[in-house]
Amino acid sequence: MNFDLQPFLENDNLVLRPTTKNDFEGLFEVASDPLLWEQHPAKERATREGFRTFFDQGIHSGGMLSIIAKEQNRIIGSSRFKFLSEELSAVEIGWTFLARKYWGGQINRQMKQLMIEHAHQFVKNVLLFIDKSNIRSFKAAEKIGALRLNETHPLHCLQKTDYHCTYLIAKHE
Protein backbone atom coordinates (compact mmCIF):
# COMPACT_ATOMS: atom_id res chain seq x y z
CA MET A 1 0.00 0.00 0.00
CA ASN A 2 1.29 3.47 -0.88
CA PHE A 3 -0.19 5.47 1.99
CA ASP A 4 1.59 8.82 2.15
CA LEU A 5 2.05 9.53 5.87
CA GLN A 6 3.26 13.07 5.21
CA PRO A 7 1.12 14.59 2.50
CA PHE A 8 0.72 18.26 1.75
CA LEU A 9 -2.94 19.04 2.54
CA GLU A 10 -4.69 22.38 2.21
CA ASN A 11 -8.02 24.18 2.43
CA ASP A 12 -8.97 27.88 2.58
CA ASN A 13 -7.77 28.25 6.19
CA LEU A 14 -5.04 25.66 6.75
CA VAL A 15 -1.97 24.03 5.35
CA LEU A 16 -0.83 20.69 6.72
CA ARG A 17 2.67 19.86 5.64
CA PRO A 18 5.45 17.48 6.65
CA THR A 19 7.14 18.60 9.85
CA THR A 20 10.84 19.34 9.58
CA LYS A 21 13.47 19.76 12.28
CA ASN A 22 13.25 23.51 11.65
CA ASP A 23 9.68 23.49 13.00
CA PHE A 24 10.78 22.74 16.56
CA GLU A 25 10.72 26.31 17.90
CA GLY A 26 7.38 27.20 16.29
CA LEU A 27 5.76 24.03 17.58
CA PHE A 28 7.32 24.39 21.03
CA GLU A 29 5.96 27.92 21.25
CA VAL A 30 2.47 26.41 20.96
CA ALA A 31 3.17 23.28 23.03
CA SER A 32 4.71 25.19 25.95
CA ASP A 33 1.21 26.17 27.12
CA PRO A 34 0.59 23.80 30.07
CA LEU A 35 -3.18 23.96 29.52
CA LEU A 36 -2.76 22.08 26.23
CA TRP A 37 -1.65 19.04 28.22
CA GLU A 38 -3.94 19.51 31.23
CA GLN A 39 -6.07 16.43 30.43
CA HIS A 40 -3.21 14.43 28.94
CA PRO A 41 -0.98 12.02 30.88
CA ALA A 42 2.22 13.48 29.34
CA LYS A 43 2.11 16.92 30.95
CA GLU A 44 5.89 17.22 30.57
CA ARG A 45 5.32 18.03 26.90
CA ALA A 46 4.87 21.66 28.01
CA THR A 47 8.59 21.75 28.96
CA ARG A 48 11.39 22.09 26.41
CA GLU A 49 12.88 18.72 27.40
CA GLY A 50 9.54 16.90 27.38
CA PHE A 51 8.53 18.46 24.09
CA ARG A 52 11.93 17.60 22.56
CA THR A 53 11.22 13.90 23.23
CA PHE A 54 7.70 14.19 21.73
CA PHE A 55 9.02 16.14 18.72
CA ASP A 56 11.90 13.74 18.03
CA GLN A 57 9.52 10.77 18.19
CA GLY A 58 7.24 12.58 15.73
CA ILE A 59 10.07 13.29 13.30
CA HIS A 60 11.20 9.66 13.48
CA SER A 61 7.63 8.39 13.01
CA GLY A 62 7.61 9.65 9.43
CA GLY A 63 4.00 10.79 9.85
CA MET A 64 4.20 14.15 11.65
CA LEU A 65 2.45 17.14 10.10
CA SER A 66 2.73 20.80 11.05
CA ILE A 67 -0.52 22.77 10.96
CA ILE A 68 -0.25 26.28 9.56
CA ALA A 69 -2.97 28.92 9.87
CA LYS A 70 -2.96 30.65 6.49
CA GLU A 71 -4.28 33.97 7.80
CA GLN A 72 -1.31 34.37 10.17
CA ASN A 73 1.10 32.18 8.17
CA ARG A 74 2.00 30.67 11.53
CA ILE A 75 2.35 27.17 12.99
CA ILE A 76 -0.61 26.52 15.30
CA GLY A 77 -0.09 22.85 16.11
CA SER A 78 0.67 19.39 14.88
CA SER A 79 -0.86 15.99 14.20
CA ARG A 80 0.34 12.62 12.92
CA PHE A 81 -0.62 9.65 10.82
CA LYS A 82 0.38 6.12 11.76
CA PHE A 83 -0.39 3.17 9.52
CA LEU A 84 -1.93 0.38 11.63
CA SER A 85 -3.07 -2.55 9.53
CA GLU A 86 -3.42 -3.39 5.86
CA GLU A 87 -5.58 -6.40 6.73
CA LEU A 88 -8.00 -4.24 8.74
CA SER A 89 -7.57 -1.27 6.37
CA ALA A 90 -6.79 1.08 9.24
CA VAL A 91 -4.70 4.15 9.97
CA GLU A 92 -4.43 6.21 13.13
CA ILE A 93 -4.66 9.97 13.44
CA GLY A 94 -3.28 11.22 16.70
CA TRP A 95 -0.70 13.07 18.77
CA THR A 96 -2.65 16.23 17.90
CA PHE A 97 -2.28 19.53 19.68
CA LEU A 98 -3.56 22.98 18.73
CA ALA A 99 -3.01 26.44 20.17
CA ARG A 100 -5.85 27.25 22.60
CA LYS A 101 -7.01 30.09 20.37
CA TYR A 102 -8.24 27.40 17.95
CA TRP A 103 -10.04 25.17 20.44
CA GLY A 104 -13.75 24.62 20.03
CA GLY A 105 -13.97 26.20 16.60
CA GLN A 106 -13.74 24.94 13.07
CA ILE A 107 -9.96 24.52 12.85
CA ASN A 108 -9.75 21.08 14.50
CA ARG A 109 -12.68 19.87 12.40
CA GLN A 110 -11.11 21.20 9.19
CA MET A 111 -7.69 19.77 10.00
CA LYS A 112 -9.10 16.36 10.83
CA GLN A 113 -11.34 16.45 7.75
CA LEU A 114 -8.31 17.03 5.52
CA MET A 115 -6.52 14.13 7.18
CA ILE A 116 -9.56 11.82 7.07
CA GLU A 117 -10.21 12.55 3.39
CA HIS A 118 -6.58 11.79 2.61
CA ALA A 119 -6.65 8.56 4.65
CA HIS A 120 -9.90 7.34 3.09
CA GLN A 121 -8.24 7.37 -0.31
CA PHE A 122 -6.18 4.42 0.96
CA VAL A 123 -7.97 2.82 3.92
CA LYS A 124 -11.53 2.25 5.12
CA ASN A 125 -10.95 2.96 8.81
CA VAL A 126 -9.47 5.94 10.63
CA LEU A 127 -8.90 5.39 14.34
CA LEU A 128 -8.25 7.83 17.15
CA PHE A 129 -6.90 6.56 20.48
CA ILE A 130 -7.75 8.96 23.29
CA ASP A 131 -6.62 8.78 26.90
CA LYS A 132 -9.58 7.93 29.14
CA SER A 133 -9.09 11.14 31.16
CA ASN A 134 -9.14 13.45 28.12
CA ILE A 135 -12.77 14.57 28.05
CA ARG A 136 -11.97 17.53 25.79
CA SER A 137 -10.62 15.17 23.10
CA PHE A 138 -13.65 12.87 23.44
CA LYS A 139 -15.89 15.82 22.65
CA ALA A 140 -13.71 16.90 19.73
CA ALA A 141 -13.74 13.36 18.27
CA GLU A 142 -17.51 13.16 18.58
CA LYS A 143 -17.90 16.60 16.92
CA ILE A 144 -16.19 15.24 13.80
CA GLY A 145 -18.45 12.18 13.72
CA ALA A 146 -16.16 9.61 15.33
CA LEU A 147 -17.88 6.69 17.06
CA ARG A 148 -16.52 5.28 20.31
CA LEU A 149 -15.88 1.54 19.94
CA ASN A 150 -16.75 -1.02 22.56
CA GLU A 151 -14.71 -4.11 23.36
CA THR A 152 -16.73 -6.30 20.97
CA HIS A 153 -15.99 -4.24 17.84
CA PRO A 154 -13.57 -6.03 15.47
CA LEU A 155 -11.25 -3.02 15.27
CA HIS A 156 -10.98 -2.84 19.04
CA CYS A 157 -8.15 -5.37 18.72
CA LEU A 158 -5.97 -2.46 17.60
CA GLN A 159 -6.51 -0.72 20.96
CA LYS A 160 -3.22 0.71 22.22
CA THR A 161 -3.65 0.23 25.97
CA ASP A 162 -6.28 -0.10 28.64
CA TYR A 163 -5.79 3.63 29.26
CA HIS A 164 -7.19 4.64 25.88
CA CYS A 165 -10.61 4.72 24.26
CA THR A 166 -10.84 3.96 20.57
CA TYR A 167 -12.83 6.12 18.20
CA LEU A 168 -13.61 5.19 14.58
CA ILE A 169 -14.37 7.15 11.45
CA ALA A 170 -15.27 4.61 8.78
CA LYS A 171 -15.33 5.35 5.09
CA HIS A 172 -18.86 5.52 3.74
CA GLU A 173 -19.17 3.75 0.44
mmCIF file of all heavy atoms in Angstrom, residues 16-47:
data_model
loop_
_atom_site.group_PDB
_atom_site.id
_atom_site.type_symbol
_atom_site.label_atom_id
_atom_site.label_comp_id
_atom_site.label_asym_id
_atom_site.label_seq_id
_atom_site.Cartn_x
_atom_site.Cartn_y
_atom_site.Cartn_z
ATOM 1 N N LEU A 16 -1.485 21.756 5.964
ATOM 2 C CA LEU A 16 -0.834 20.690 6.722
ATOM 3 C C LEU A 16 0.305 20.208 5.850
ATOM 4 O O LEU A 16 0.093 19.834 4.692
ATOM 5 C CB LEU A 16 -1.796 19.536 7.005
ATOM 6 C CG LEU A 16 -2.770 19.713 8.163
ATOM 7 C CD1 LEU A 16 -3.761 20.810 7.901
ATOM 8 C CD2 LEU A 16 -3.475 18.418 8.443
ATOM 9 N N ARG A 17 1.496 20.246 6.411
ATOM 10 C CA ARG A 17 2.668 19.861 5.638
ATOM 11 C C ARG A 17 3.604 19.034 6.507
ATOM 12 O O ARG A 17 3.520 19.081 7.734
ATOM 13 C CB ARG A 17 3.378 21.088 5.099
ATOM 14 C CG ARG A 17 3.900 22.006 6.180
ATOM 15 C CD ARG A 17 5.006 22.891 5.665
ATOM 16 N NE ARG A 17 5.418 23.869 6.633
ATOM 17 C CZ ARG A 17 6.165 23.630 7.697
ATOM 18 N NH1 ARG A 17 6.578 22.405 7.969
ATOM 19 N NH2 ARG A 17 6.517 24.600 8.514
ATOM 20 N N PRO A 18 4.500 18.273 5.867
ATOM 21 C CA PRO A 18 5.446 17.480 6.646
ATOM 22 C C PRO A 18 6.230 18.358 7.619
ATOM 23 O O PRO A 18 6.695 19.448 7.262
ATOM 24 C CB PRO A 18 6.367 16.870 5.594
ATOM 25 C CG PRO A 18 5.530 16.832 4.351
ATOM 26 C CD PRO A 18 4.670 18.065 4.424
ATOM 27 N N THR A 19 6.349 17.897 8.836
ATOM 28 C CA THR A 19 7.141 18.604 9.848
ATOM 29 C C THR A 19 8.614 18.372 9.569
ATOM 30 O O THR A 19 9.026 17.261 9.219
ATOM 31 C CB THR A 19 6.787 18.086 11.259
ATOM 32 O OG1 THR A 19 5.394 18.330 11.482
ATOM 33 C CG2 THR A 19 7.610 18.781 12.327
ATOM 34 N N THR A 20 9.389 19.433 9.711
ATOM 35 C CA THR A 20 10.844 19.337 9.576
ATOM 36 C C THR A 20 11.485 19.705 10.913
ATOM 37 O O THR A 20 10.830 20.273 11.799
ATOM 38 C CB THR A 20 11.385 20.288 8.493
ATOM 39 O OG1 THR A 20 11.225 21.643 8.953
ATOM 40 C CG2 THR A 20 10.670 20.088 7.165
ATOM 41 N N LYS A 21 12.749 19.411 11.052
ATOM 42 C CA LYS A 21 13.473 19.756 12.282
ATOM 43 C C LYS A 21 13.439 21.259 12.543
ATOM 44 O O LYS A 21 13.491 21.691 13.690
ATOM 45 C CB LYS A 21 14.904 19.238 12.215
ATOM 46 C CG LYS A 21 14.971 17.727 12.287
ATOM 47 C CD LYS A 21 16.382 17.202 12.276
ATOM 48 C CE LYS A 21 16.332 15.678 12.358
ATOM 49 N NZ LYS A 21 17.641 15.087 12.490
ATOM 50 N N ASN A 22 13.313 22.058 11.500
ATOM 51 C CA ASN A 22 13.249 23.512 11.651
ATOM 52 C C ASN A 22 11.946 23.986 12.286
ATOM 53 O O ASN A 22 11.831 25.158 12.652
ATOM 54 C CB ASN A 22 13.429 24.203 10.300
ATOM 55 C CG ASN A 22 14.812 23.996 9.744
ATOM 56 O OD1 ASN A 22 15.774 23.796 10.481
ATOM 57 N ND2 ASN A 22 14.924 24.032 8.432
ATOM 58 N N ASP A 23 10.963 23.118 12.412
ATOM 59 C CA ASP A 23 9.676 23.485 13.004
ATOM 60 C C ASP A 23 9.673 23.411 14.530
ATOM 61 O O ASP A 23 8.685 23.786 15.162
ATOM 62 C CB ASP A 23 8.555 22.581 12.463
ATOM 63 C CG ASP A 23 8.261 22.833 11.001
ATOM 64 O OD1 ASP A 23 8.438 23.968 10.535
ATOM 65 O OD2 ASP A 23 7.857 21.869 10.327
ATOM 66 N N PHE A 24 10.774 22.950 15.121
ATOM 67 C CA PHE A 24 10.780 22.735 16.565
ATOM 68 C C PHE A 24 10.357 23.979 17.343
ATOM 69 O O PHE A 24 9.455 23.924 18.179
ATOM 70 C CB PHE A 24 12.146 22.256 17.070
ATOM 71 C CG PHE A 24 12.168 22.059 18.562
ATOM 72 C CD1 PHE A 24 11.713 20.880 19.126
ATOM 73 C CD2 PHE A 24 12.604 23.073 19.412
ATOM 74 C CE1 PHE A 24 11.686 20.709 20.498
ATOM 75 C CE2 PHE A 24 12.581 22.911 20.786
ATOM 76 C CZ PHE A 24 12.128 21.721 21.337
ATOM 77 N N GLU A 25 10.995 25.102 17.102
ATOM 78 C CA GLU A 25 10.720 26.308 17.904
ATOM 79 C C GLU A 25 9.276 26.775 17.741
ATOM 80 O O GLU A 25 8.625 27.136 18.717
ATOM 81 C CB GLU A 25 11.697 27.438 17.569
ATOM 82 C CG GLU A 25 13.108 27.185 18.065
ATOM 83 C CD GLU A 25 13.238 27.006 19.580
ATOM 84 O OE1 GLU A 25 12.443 27.593 20.346
ATOM 85 O OE2 GLU A 25 14.136 26.254 20.001
ATOM 86 N N GLY A 26 8.768 26.780 16.521
ATOM 87 C CA GLY A 26 7.383 27.196 16.292
ATOM 88 C C GLY A 26 6.393 26.274 16.976
ATOM 89 O O GLY A 26 5.411 26.736 17.574
ATOM 90 N N LEU A 27 6.644 24.985 16.918
ATOM 91 C CA LEU A 27 5.762 24.029 17.580
ATOM 92 C C LEU A 27 5.904 24.095 19.101
ATOM 93 O O LEU A 27 4.915 24.016 19.829
ATOM 94 C CB LEU A 27 6.017 22.606 17.074
ATOM 95 C CG LEU A 27 5.502 22.333 15.672
ATOM 96 C CD1 LEU A 27 6.028 21.001 15.147
ATOM 97 C CD2 LEU A 27 3.980 22.353 15.637
ATOM 98 N N PHE A 28 7.134 24.285 19.583
ATOM 99 C CA PHE A 28 7.316 24.389 21.029
ATOM 100 C C PHE A 28 6.640 25.641 21.576
ATOM 101 O O PHE A 28 6.089 25.626 22.683
ATOM 102 C CB PHE A 28 8.791 24.361 21.428
ATOM 103 C CG PHE A 28 8.976 24.505 22.910
ATOM 104 C CD1 PHE A 28 8.490 23.531 23.782
ATOM 105 C CD2 PHE A 28 9.583 25.623 23.443
ATOM 106 C CE1 PHE A 28 8.621 23.672 25.158
ATOM 107 C CE2 PHE A 28 9.720 25.776 24.812
ATOM 108 C CZ PHE A 28 9.241 24.796 25.674
ATOM 109 N N GLU A 29 6.644 26.705 20.812
ATOM 110 C CA GLU A 29 5.956 27.922 21.252
ATOM 111 C C GLU A 29 4.485 27.628 21.561
ATOM 112 O O GLU A 29 3.930 28.109 22.543
ATOM 113 C CB GLU A 29 6.063 29.014 20.174
ATOM 114 C CG GLU A 29 5.460 30.331 20.579
ATOM 115 C CD GLU A 29 5.611 31.385 19.503
ATOM 116 O OE1 GLU A 29 6.586 31.331 18.719
ATOM 117 O OE2 GLU A 29 4.742 32.274 19.443
ATOM 118 N N VAL A 30 3.856 26.811 20.726
ATOM 119 C CA VAL A 30 2.467 26.412 20.955
ATOM 120 C C VAL A 30 2.393 25.408 22.110
ATOM 121 O O VAL A 30 1.593 25.560 23.037
ATOM 122 C CB VAL A 30 1.851 25.798 19.678
ATOM 123 C CG1 VAL A 30 0.450 25.259 19.949
ATOM 124 C CG2 VAL A 30 1.838 26.809 18.541
ATOM 125 N N ALA A 31 3.235 24.388 22.076
ATOM 126 C CA ALA A 31 3.172 23.275 23.033
ATOM 127 C C ALA A 31 3.575 23.674 24.444
ATOM 128 O O ALA A 31 3.255 22.958 25.400
ATOM 129 C CB ALA A 31 4.058 22.124 22.550
ATOM 130 N N SER A 32 4.252 24.792 24.614
ATOM 131 C CA SER A 32 4.712 25.194 25.947
ATOM 132 C C SER A 32 3.582 25.690 26.842
ATOM 133 O O SER A 32 3.805 25.954 28.028
ATOM 134 C CB SER A 32 5.805 26.261 25.830
ATOM 135 O OG SER A 32 5.276 27.445 25.238
ATOM 136 N N ASP A 33 2.381 25.796 26.320
ATOM 137 C CA ASP A 33 1.212 26.169 27.119
ATOM 138 C C ASP A 33 0.772 24.951 27.932
ATOM 139 O O ASP A 33 0.264 23.979 27.367
ATOM 140 C CB ASP A 33 0.091 26.631 26.185
ATOM 141 C CG ASP A 33 -1.183 27.022 26.905
ATOM 142 O OD1 ASP A 33 -1.316 26.763 28.120
ATOM 143 O OD2 ASP A 33 -2.072 27.578 26.235
ATOM 144 N N PRO A 34 0.937 24.979 29.254
ATOM 145 C CA PRO A 34 0.593 23.800 30.070
ATOM 146 C C PRO A 34 -0.875 23.382 29.960
ATOM 147 O O PRO A 34 -1.194 22.213 30.159
ATOM 148 C CB PRO A 34 0.915 24.234 31.510
ATOM 149 C CG PRO A 34 1.700 25.476 31.409
ATOM 150 C CD PRO A 34 1.465 26.072 30.061
ATOM 151 N N LEU A 35 -1.761 24.314 29.623
ATOM 152 C CA LEU A 35 -3.181 23.963 29.522
ATOM 153 C C LEU A 35 -3.467 23.029 28.343
ATOM 154 O O LEU A 35 -4.467 22.316 28.358
ATOM 155 C CB LEU A 35 -4.047 25.213 29.436
ATOM 156 C CG LEU A 35 -4.105 26.052 30.718
ATOM 157 C CD1 LEU A 35 -4.970 27.287 30.523
ATOM 158 C CD2 LEU A 35 -4.592 25.226 31.897
ATOM 159 N N LEU A 36 -2.577 23.018 27.345
ATOM 160 C CA LEU A 36 -2.759 22.080 26.234
ATOM 161 C C LEU A 36 -2.694 20.638 26.722
ATOM 162 O O LEU A 36 -3.334 19.753 26.158
ATOM 163 C CB LEU A 36 -1.687 22.284 25.167
ATOM 164 C CG LEU A 36 -2.028 23.195 24.008
ATOM 165 C CD1 LEU A 36 -2.277 24.605 24.449
ATOM 166 C CD2 LEU A 36 -0.931 23.146 22.977
ATOM 167 N N TRP A 37 -1.916 20.403 27.746
ATOM 168 C CA TRP A 37 -1.645 19.043 28.221
ATOM 169 C C TRP A 37 -2.368 18.741 29.538
ATOM 170 O O TRP A 37 -2.147 17.693 30.143
ATOM 171 C CB TRP A 37 -0.137 18.856 28.380
ATOM 172 C CG TRP A 37 0.591 19.304 27.173
ATOM 173 C CD1 TRP A 37 1.318 20.461 27.028
ATOM 174 C CD2 TRP A 37 0.639 18.663 25.896
ATOM 175 N NE1 TRP A 37 1.814 20.557 25.754
ATOM 176 C CE2 TRP A 37 1.420 19.468 25.025
ATOM 177 C CE3 TRP A 37 0.099 17.484 25.386
ATOM 178 C CZ2 TRP A 37 1.673 19.134 23.708
ATOM 179 C CZ3 TRP A 37 0.354 17.152 24.061
ATOM 180 C CH2 TRP A 37 1.124 17.969 23.237
ATOM 181 N N GLU A 38 -3.252 19.629 29.949
ATOM 182 C CA GLU A 38 -3.942 19.511 31.232
ATOM 183 C C GLU A 38 -4.670 18.177 31.395
ATOM 184 O O GLU A 38 -4.653 17.585 32.471
ATOM 185 C CB GLU A 38 -4.934 20.675 31.355
ATOM 186 C CG GLU A 38 -5.727 20.702 32.629
ATOM 187 C CD GLU A 38 -6.685 21.869 32.654
ATOM 188 O OE1 GLU A 38 -7.393 22.096 31.635
ATOM 189 O OE2 GLU A 38 -6.725 22.551 33.680
ATOM 190 N N GLN A 39 -5.322 17.681 30.352
ATOM 191 C CA GLN A 39 -6.067 16.427 30.427
ATOM 192 C C GLN A 39 -5.313 15.271 29.782
ATOM 193 O O GLN A 39 -5.890 14.241 29.470
ATOM 194 C CB GLN A 39 -7.437 16.593 29.768
ATOM 195 C CG GLN A 39 -8.326 17.560 30.511
ATOM 196 C CD GLN A 39 -9.710 17.658 29.891
ATOM 197 O OE1 GLN A 39 -10.131 16.836 29.082
ATOM 198 N NE2 GLN A 39 -10.438 18.684 30.274
ATOM 199 N N HIS A 40 -4.046 15.441 29.585
ATOM 200 C CA HIS A 40 -3.209 14.435 28.935
ATOM 201 C C HIS A 40 -2.220 13.878 29.950
ATOM 202 O O HIS A 40 -1.725 14.623 30.793
ATOM 203 C CB HIS A 40 -2.466 15.079 27.761
ATOM 204 C CG HIS A 40 -1.870 14.102 26.832
ATOM 205 N ND1 HIS A 40 -0.677 13.472 27.099
ATOM 206 C CD2 HIS A 40 -2.291 13.613 25.651
ATOM 207 C CE1 HIS A 40 -0.393 12.651 26.108
ATOM 208 N NE2 HIS A 40 -1.349 12.709 25.216
ATOM 209 N N PRO A 41 -1.914 12.583 29.896
ATOM 210 C CA PRO A 41 -0.983 12.022 30.879
ATOM 211 C C PRO A 41 0.458 12.529 30.727
ATOM 212 O O PRO A 41 1.222 12.476 31.687
ATOM 213 C CB PRO A 41 -1.073 10.513 30.635
ATOM 214 C CG PRO A 41 -1.588 10.366 29.255
ATOM 215 C CD PRO A 41 -2.446 11.568 28.991
ATOM 216 N N ALA A 42 0.841 13.033 29.566
ATOM 217 C CA ALA A 42 2.219 13.476 29.335
ATOM 218 C C ALA A 42 2.324 15.000 29.483
ATOM 219 O O ALA A 42 2.624 15.718 28.536
ATOM 220 C CB ALA A 42 2.693 13.017 27.963
ATOM 221 N N LYS A 43 2.088 15.476 30.676
ATOM 222 C CA LYS A 43 2.107 16.919 30.947
ATOM 223 C C LYS A 43 3.491 17.542 30.723
ATOM 224 O O LYS A 43 3.608 18.736 30.492
ATOM 225 C CB LYS A 43 1.599 17.183 32.357
ATOM 226 C CG LYS A 43 0.121 16.872 32.477
ATOM 227 C CD LYS A 43 -0.355 16.947 33.905
ATOM 228 C CE LYS A 43 -1.817 16.610 34.078
ATOM 229 N NZ LYS A 43 -2.395 15.555 33.295
ATOM 230 N N GLU A 44 4.525 16.717 30.772
ATOM 231 C CA GLU A 44 5.895 17.217 30.566
ATOM 232 C C GLU A 44 6.120 17.744 29.147
ATOM 233 O O GLU A 44 7.124 18.390 28.874
ATOM 234 C CB GLU A 44 6.929 16.128 30.892
ATOM 235 C CG GLU A 44 6.988 14.975 29.910
ATOM 236 C CD GLU A 44 5.933 13.887 30.151
ATOM 237 O OE1 GLU A 44 5.114 14.011 31.075
ATOM 238 O OE2 GLU A 44 5.932 12.907 29.382
ATOM 239 N N ARG A 45 5.165 17.507 28.258
ATOM 240 C CA ARG A 45 5.316 18.028 26.896
ATOM 241 C C ARG A 45 5.287 19.552 26.859
ATOM 242 O O ARG A 45 5.673 20.149 25.859
ATOM 243 C CB ARG A 45 4.222 17.468 25.983
ATOM 244 C CG ARG A 45 4.410 15.994 25.714
ATOM 245 C CD ARG A 45 3.322 15.460 24.819
ATOM 246 N NE ARG A 45 3.457 14.026 24.647
ATOM 247 C CZ ARG A 45 2.541 13.257 24.114
ATOM 248 N NH1 ARG A 45 1.400 13.785 23.686
ATOM 249 N NH2 ARG A 45 2.729 11.961 23.991
ATOM 250 N N ALA A 46 4.864 20.187 27.940
ATOM 251 C CA ALA A 46 4.874 21.655 28.014
ATOM 252 C C ALA A 46 6.272 22.195 28.318
ATOM 253 O O ALA A 46 6.505 23.395 28.200
ATOM 254 C CB ALA A 46 3.888 22.145 29.071
ATOM 255 N N THR A 47 7.207 21.322 28.688
ATOM 256 C CA THR A 47 8.586 21.747 28.957
ATOM 257 C C THR A 47 9.432 21.510 27.704
ATOM 258 O O THR A 47 9.105 20.654 26.872
ATOM 259 C CB THR A 47 9.196 20.951 30.129
ATOM 260 O OG1 THR A 47 9.376 19.580 29.716
ATOM 261 C CG2 THR A 47 8.320 21.038 31.372
#
